[in-house]
Amino acid sequence: MAALNFFGRLFVSCQGVGTWLTPRLAMHCIGAGVRSVVVSRHAVKARVPSSGAKSFTESASGLAAGPRAELRVRRLEAESAGIVVFGINRPQSKNAISKNLVEMMSKAIEEIKCDKNVRTVILRSEVPGIFCAALKRGECTGQETEVEEGRCACVCNLPMPTIAVLDGAALGGGLEMALACDIRVAATSAKMGLVETKLAIIPGAGGTQRLPRTIGVSLAKELIFSGRVLDGTEAKVIGLVNHVVGQNEAGDAAYHRALSLAREFIPQGPIAVRLAKLAINQGIEVDLKTGLAIEEACYAQVIPTKDRIEGLNAFKEKRLPRYTGE
């Protein structure tokens, strides 16, 4: 069966395994049940925009136009070209997750996930003092609540790096959304915690799974059992956030640190970065032998790229590479 991977390259798959896998790796991955993760999720199901599709700027402006938009999507320019910022903007409800916000975020993600020019996505709050709260329970009930809140973690499906900016409080579902991102940057004044047990429920949008994978099982149990709230400094000590900075008067110190970090990713080969993320994310879920097979399969994907040749030529000519994502 012919299919397109998320870089727009044609490959042939049979029973969910692409031909870029050697026979040995293919059989190993089939035996380990990896095929649906490595291929189906990130390749067969990926959508490649047609040449007649709207540009991201046009689509995003339609999604998040006006000061009252619950999600503002911006493509940065100049030295920050390649960075897209998702800004949550629900001041009336302290950025509580709503069905509309989830739908807007899902649409925005669809717009950018196959765009090779997008190098990093930053998720932040447009409301001072708050990152994101749990889903607004009055808008959804029962299974619908669980489904909608779980969908807020869809940022984890983006193939490019994602950074969560915690300049304010991230409690319950808000922290779960941040945990779905690759990297978290927080201000010292930020407050975060999975506090659901205080309400006689448990984290339901990935918290019980992503927190232990981030900080370790025993410590995650302690935090969830107690519903403890940490500040940015405490979160950095236990590895919950990657970076912590002192808050500034504008209340956006973590955002500026995240921008600086995202700019470090821009010069790197975009295909290599995406495949490195894929190899890490899928490899950490399996045994080492299978993980190494996944890494080898991802490595095989970068070999035929124009970016790899450009990197070699730039090194020989002692100049900066000009990567195009091809």
Side-chain angles (χ1 to χ4, degrees):
M1 178 180 67
L4 287 169
N5 65 10
F6 60 76
F7 300 116
R9 289 187 172 77
L10 186 68
F11 73 102
V12 178
S13 65
C14 179
Q15 295 182 347
V17 180
T19 56
W20 44 266
L21 286 174
T22 65
R24 177 178 64 84
L25 289 176
M27 292 303 297
H28 184 76
C29 287
I30 289 173
V34 178
R35 62 185 183 274
S36 63
V37 178
V38 175
V39 178
S40 296
R41 176 178 168 186
H42 294 276
V44 176
K45 294 183 180 179
R47 177 179 60 84
V48 179
S50 64
S51 59
K54 290 183 179 180
S55 68
F56 168 77
T57 302
E58 293 171 336
S59 299
S61 62
L63 267 173
R68 294 186 180 181
E70 293 191 358
L71 182 70
R72 297 175 180 172
V73 182
R74 294 183 296 132
R75 182 195 287 270
L76 304 188
E77 300 177 350
E79 64 177 349
S80 297
I83 300 174
V84 172
V85 180
F86 285 6
I88 303 174
N89 181 45
R90 301 193 76 222
Q92 72 282 2
S93 58
K94 297 183 178 179
N95 276 359
I97 301 169
S98 68
K99 290 179 64 176
N100 184 56
L101 176 62
V102 171
E103 291 171 0
M104 294 182 72
M105 187 171 292
S106 296
K107 290 178 181 178
I109 287 173
E110 284 296 314
E111 289 290 336
I112 68 169
K113 70 180 183 182
C114 296
D115 187 342
K116 67 180 182 180
N117 295 315
V118 178
R119 305 297 179 85
T120 302
V121 174
I122 294 178
L123 178 62
R124 66 169 302 198
S125 168
E126 302 274 328
V127 181
I130 186 79
F131 171 67
C132 184
L135 184 142
K136 190 174 181 180
R137 298 287 168 176
E139 296 188 12
C140 301
T141 58
Q143 292 183 345
E144 186 179 6
T145 295
E146 297 175 5
V147 171
E148 293 296 342
E149 190 162 1
R151 285 179 60 198
C152 290
C154 58
V155 291
C156 70
N157 294 327
L158 282 169
M160 67 286 290
T162 55
I163 305 175
V165 176
L166 308 179
D167 270 312
L171 303 176
L175 181 56
E176 289 179 292
M177 184 179 289
L179 284 167
C181 294
D182 300 311
I183 297 168
R184 286 158 295 285
V185 179
T188 52
S189 59
K191 302 295 182 183
M192 62 201 81
L194 296 180
V195 297
E196 285 85 349
T197 53
K198 294 183 178 181
L199 301 175
I201 58 176
I202 71 170
T208 63
Q209 302 306 304
R210 292 192 176 95
L211 186 63
R213 284 168 168 78
T214 302
I215 65 174
V217 174
S218 182
L219 189 52
K221 288 179 177 178
E222 178 182 336
L223 294 182
I224 291 174
F225 295 168
S226 65
R228 188 180 305 155
V229 175
L230 309 176
D231 62 27
T233 302
E234 293 169 324
K236 176 65 169 65
V237 170
I238 66 172
L240 180 53
V241 301
N242 298 66
H243 303 275
V244 63
V245 292
Q247 190 57 282
N248 56 24
E249 292 185 5
D252 60 357
Y255 173 61
H256 287 288
R257 179 65 183 91
L259 277 178
S260 177
L261 182 61
R263 292 187 189 113
E264 292 184 40
F265 303 159
I266 293 174
Q268 318 313 323
I271 297 177
V273 170
R274 292 184 180 208
L275 282 169
K277 174 175 175 174
L278 176 61
I280 294 169
N281 285 356
Q282 304 307 332
I284 201 67
E285 302 293 337
V286 297
D287 62 87
L288 180 60
K289 185 177 181 180
T290 306
L292 291 173
I294 293 172
E295 179 186 76
E296 187 174 346
C298 290
Y299 187 86
Q301 287 265 284
V302 302
I303 297 301
T305 64
K306 294 180 180 179
D307 279 352
R308 185 183 72 88
I309 302 302
E310 167 63 14
L312 290 174
N313 290 337
F315 179 79
K316 293 177 183 178
E317 298 166 12
K318 296 182 180 180
R319 60 173 175 80
L320 294 176
R322 294 181 291 273
Y323 296 125
T324 62
E326 299 178 340

